[in-house]
Amino acid sequence: MRTLAPVSAPRTGNGYWIRLLPPLALLAWVTRVPSFARPLWNPDEGYLAVQARLLAAGGRLYETVVDRKPPLVPWLYEAAFALTGSGSLAAVRVLAVLAQLATAALLAALARGRWGDRSGRTAGVLYLLLSIGLNPEDAQAATFEIFILPGTAAALYCADRRRWGAAGAAVGCAFLAKQTGAAVLLPVLWLCGARRGPLLRLAAGALLPVLAAALATDPSGFLFWTVTGSTAYASFSGSWTHVVLRALGNAAILAVACAALPPLLRHRTPGRADLWLWLAASAAAVGTGLHFFGHYYLQLLPPLTLLATAALSTLPPARTSRALLTTACCCALFVTWGLLAPRTWLDHSRRLADAVARTTAPEDRVLVWGMHPETYWLAGRTPAGPHLTAGLLTNYSGGRAGARVGAQYAVPGAWAAFHRTTTAHPPALIVDDSRGAPYAPERVPALRRLLAARYAERETVDGAVLYVRVR
């Protein structure tokens, strides 16, 4: 049986949090100011925005619209749109700020309980300074990883206080934001040990929200799209050189943000085994599927923050000040990058969406054959089927080479659904936005036949070809 480290005695009074939370809230807002500077930061946001519109119109997740992700983040987008309308992601941006603030506060509470008041302040501030230390398209976007983080921090906080049912529920919520959120289960189990009672409460807490989400959607669809149907996407195909360069490139960017941390991580401080396990599990989550997109690296930040805070708790306060100042300078560079970052792909999507809106009526269905689902959202048009990108129908993934790309590698059942929807509700417009990619229509016989039989080319916009239906 594993013995837990003693939990610090609870502190009384609210003065600590009254003094700490307002500065943390201000810092969370300032670091994410660039996120409000543009309508979209990456195609994942566009995908979620389209999903939310379809759900608000009465659609069902894993039926009307599908994705390889659990339902929590689409539901958050839908709730935000219900409050402010679906024409802007401003409300979603606010939710992202709140998610980062909640993560910082939970890390501060955990650090305070282990190492004292000063460490709590250090952890909260340090996390927020690190939280944007990636390419702005990854760090400023309100996507899945941002909403994983509060659940993972809450899971370890509750486990540290031996609240096993609550810790399990937090693990379940992290999983419902994205499957890799379940990585935090490893350090939670380490703290739990092999005791039957806590393990049962932990399992019950984790399963309850997951089962509730499955029942609220479609249980078989939930299982397929979140677990069993993603094996082709998660497997490696393509160039090792490209994968390694992507992994190292994003790691190098994060290393700039974490420039003050390496000496601290080497500092020997007792009682950090669970934090190292958390970091190792998060690193495994980053590598899942060998895609190494920048936003995957966000999961590394909470354990890195706590490991650095643990080391600083044993060092003079001047060392903490220097570490925070160095990290703040790096943070300022990333804020500036976010404000000045180019938006080439977004400009293309806007021009294409303008052409789609000009060519179709609001009630028309449209098929955009590409990897930029935000075109539907920007144009205000309904997708012709449940698959919002060509990737689900060809196994193409951004950043991969053309190996194992084609209709034969599609998600099982995807082409049957495609044929049903295009037969029952033929799209008024098909947009070939492949622009020479491995999933171009000439490499997809079913789409090529559909275009040849029922559509005529109308115009070309930025290399994307628009085909109108021949009546």
Side-chain angles (χ1 to χ4, degrees):
M1 179 182 297
R2 189 183 181 283
T3 303
L4 283 171
V7 179
S8 300
R11 293 164 171 76
T12 58
N14 295 321
Y16 180 85
W17 292 107
I18 290 174
R19 291 190 298 273
L20 180 59
L21 284 178
L24 288 183
L26 178 61
L27 185 56
W29 183 266
V30 169
T31 54
R32 297 198 66 80
V33 161
S35 72
F36 293 85
R38 62 176 65 183
L40 291 160
W41 277 95
N42 66 30
D44 282 353
E45 286 187 319
Y47 204 116
L48 286 161
V50 178
Q51 280 184 302
R53 272 187 178 170
L54 292 170
L55 294 177
R60 286 182 58 82
L61 200 58
Y62 310 127
E63 295 179 18
T64 309
V65 61
V66 297
D67 193 12
R68 292 184 172 102
K69 304 294 192 302
L72 180 58
V73 182
W75 285 344
L76 288 175
Y77 269 65
E78 183 185 6
F81 285 176
L83 292 175
T84 62
S86 63
S88 168
L89 295 188
V92 178
R93 304 274 190 253
V94 173
L95 288 180
V97 172
L98 295 176
Q100 292 290 52
L101 174 60
T103 304
L106 286 163
L107 294 176
L110 198 156
R112 185 192 184 205
R114 291 191 177 191
W115 307 298
D117 288 356
R118 179 167 68 92
S119 293
R121 292 189 291 270
T122 299
V125 172
L126 183 60
Y127 171 74
L128 290 172
L129 293 175
L130 293 172
S131 66
I132 59 167
L134 289 163
N135 187 313
E137 291 185 6
D138 297 304
Q140 295 292 344
T143 51
F144 302 96
E145 285 75 16
I146 291 292
F147 297 106
I148 285 176
L149 300 177
T152 59
L156 206 69
Y157 171 82
C158 293
D160 208 46
R161 281 148 182 77
R162 307 172 194 177
R163 301 170 185 169
W164 303 115
V171 172
C173 289
F175 171 85
L176 289 176
K178 189 181 176 184
Q179 297 92 322
T180 54
V184 75
L185 184 60
L186 183 60
V188 169
L189 285 172
W190 171 267
L191 292 175
C192 184
R195 296 169 298 163
R196 182 178 179 183
L199 282 173
L200 289 176
R201 293 197 295 275
L202 178 64
L207 288 174
L208 185 61
V210 175
L211 290 175
L215 293 173
T217 54
D218 169 60
S220 61
F222 176 89
L223 178 64
F224 176 81
W225 285 102
T226 61
V227 182
T228 62
S230 298
T231 53
Y233 179 79
S235 63
F236 173 73
S237 63
S239 167
W240 275 106
T241 302
H242 188 92
V243 170
V244 170
L245 288 177
R246 178 185 288 273
L248 294 178
N250 285 317
I253 295 172
L254 183 60
V256 173
C258 300
L261 270 58
L264 303 176
L265 299 180
R266 292 195 296 268
H267 187 77
R268 293 188 176 182
T269 308
R272 297 194 296 174
D274 59 323
L275 302 182
W276 282 110
L277 278 174
W278 190 7
L279 181 61
S282 300
V286 170
T288 300
L290 298 175
H291 289 266
F292 293 105
F293 293 121
H295 44 273
Y296 290 9
Y297 288 72
L298 290 170
Q299 278 191 256
L300 300 174
L301 297 179
L304 282 173
T305 296
L306 290 177
L307 285 166
T309 301
L312 289 169
S313 69
T314 65
L315 298 172
R319 186 68 180 275
T320 299
S321 299
R322 288 199 299 271
L324 291 177
L325 179 60
T326 300
T327 309
C329 292
C330 295
C331 178
L333 291 176
F334 283 98
V335 170
T336 304
W337 185 8
L339 292 172
L340 301 178
R343 54 184 76 188
T344 305
W345 69 268
L346 179 57
D347 292 338
H348 167 78
S349 295
R350 278 175 156 167
R351 286 190 288 268
L352 189 56
D354 289 342
V356 170
R358 187 174 62 249
T359 308
T360 59
E363 67 276 9
D364 285 338
R365 292 173 177 263
V366 174
L367 171 63
V368 178
W369 185 253
M371 299 298 291
H372 289 277
E374 68 275 4
T375 304
Y376 295 115
W377 183 68
L378 293 169
R381 296 297 182 264
T382 301
H387 308 94
L388 302 186
T389 68
L392 295 171
L393 291 153
T394 63
N395 195 41
Y396 180 81
S397 169
R400 286 285 182 85
R404 294 182 63 82
V405 172
Q408 67 272 32
Y409 302 113
V411 173
W415 279 102
F418 178 88
H419 290 305
R420 284 196 303 270
T421 54
T422 55
T423 300
H425 304 285
L429 180 72
I430 295 179
V431 180
D432 172 20
D433 194 27
S434 58
R435 292 179 287 166
Y439 58 86
E442 55 266 25
R443 302 187 184 185
V444 183
L447 180 61
R448 187 173 67 246
R449 288 193 297 269
L450 177 63
L451 288 172
R454 303 170 66 179
Y455 290 84
E457 182 176 335
R458 178 185 176 94
E459 63 178 301
T460 299
V461 178
D462 280 358
V465 185
L466 279 64
Y467 295 88
V468 293
R469 183 156 56 99
V470 177
R471 300 181 182 277

